Amino acid sequence: EVQLVESGGGLVQPGGSLRLSCAASGFTFTSLWMHWVRQAPGEGLVWISQINIDGSRTNYADSVKGRFTISRDNAKNTLYLQMNSLRAEDTAVYYCTNSFDRWGQGTLVTVSS
Amino acid sequence: DVVLTQSPLTLPVTLGQPASISCRSSQSLVYSDGDTYLYWYQQRPGQSPRRLIYKVSNRDSGVPDRFSGSGSGTDFTLKISRVEAEDVGVYYCMQGTHWPPWTFGQGTKVEIK
């Protein structure tokens, strides 16, 4: 069974940092691109970042470019999102997804003073 | 960026009756390989998104056959032949043809009358 389990969310002050993790199992992690998608409270889905199978190529939404960094550890079947310089508008549930097939349960990031 | 416009944004339906959601793209979603990377997702209240349809009209494993997808080019439709209570939620279309970014429609909320 495919499982994606996010962790690392929480309350952080504006300007702070968080690192999200997504532990993957039940599929061949090394064969799929991975993505992060977020959903602000009461809002729709927004793609924010993608990484290819070996981590050599990444893409970011303009809203997070230069502040967020996606990475993966194929030995640990884990996807990461390093989030720096956080803003109130980054408050959202963050989902990881394996090429938009399956999605994790999400982890809530709240940026507030 | 490709803009996906869904309509209606709210869809009140009677149990057992059909429902239809439109998704229009700002440009053709036919990729150079001939495939069209248009997907449909269901997000039930309090849950993660679940993919229903991939590449316009292919139902994912475990998706009831009352769900169907159709369309081509820039115009796409998700139909529910007979709405059941478990179909309540928000439905999103998403395109994976012109990236980055991968983009979603605004979402259509299906509710029971």
Side-chain angles (χ1 to χ4, degrees), chain B residues 5-86:
Chain B
T5 303
Q6 291 184 226
S7 62
L9 298 184
T10 302
L11 182 56
V13 296
T14 301
L15 289 174
Q17 293 301 302
S20 180
I21 301 170
S22 169
C23 176
R24 289 190 170 151
S25 174
S26 60
Q27 55 186 283
S28 173
L29 297 183
V30 180
Y31 191 54
S32 55
D33 64 3
D35 274 332
T36 300
Y37 295 90
L38 187 282
Y39 306 86
W40 288 98
Y41 292 86
Q42 175 194 61
Q43 188 174 32
R44 292 171 171 154
Q47 294 189 12
S48 306
R50 168 199 182 195
R51 197 175 71 187
L52 300 175
I53 302 287
Y54 62 95
K55 288 195 282 185
V56 180
S57 59
N58 299 278
R59 252 191 321 273
D60 272 277
S61 174
V63 174
D65 61 6
R66 64 179 180 275
F67 290 94
S68 64
S70 63
S72 63
T74 60
D75 287 350
F76 304 92
T77 302
L78 176 71
K79 291 182 179 176
I80 311 173
S81 59
R82 296 173 306 279
V83 172
E84 298 189 6
E86 66 178 18

Side-chain angles (χ1 to χ4, degrees), chain A residues 50-105:
Chain A
Q50 168 264 335
I51 189 166
N52 69 346
I53 59 174
D54 64 3
S56 61
R57 303 196 76 163
T58 58
N59 285 291
Y60 298 92
D62 289 344
S63 58
V64 306
K65 202 172 293 183
R67 300 187 299 124
F68 290 11
T69 302
I70 190 171
S71 62
R72 64 192 296 164
D73 185 334
N74 285 344
K76 295 182 178 179
N77 283 4
T78 302
L79 175 72
Y80 302 100
L81 185 68
Q82 178 66 44
M83 304 187 297
N84 297 332
S85 303
L86 282 161
R87 307 166 179 166
E89 54 265 36
D90 295 318
T91 294
V93 174
Y94 286 73
Y95 296 102
C96 66
T97 171
N98 59 349
S99 293
F100 300 107
D101 177 9
R102 300 298 177 90
W103 298 56
Q105 85 288 350

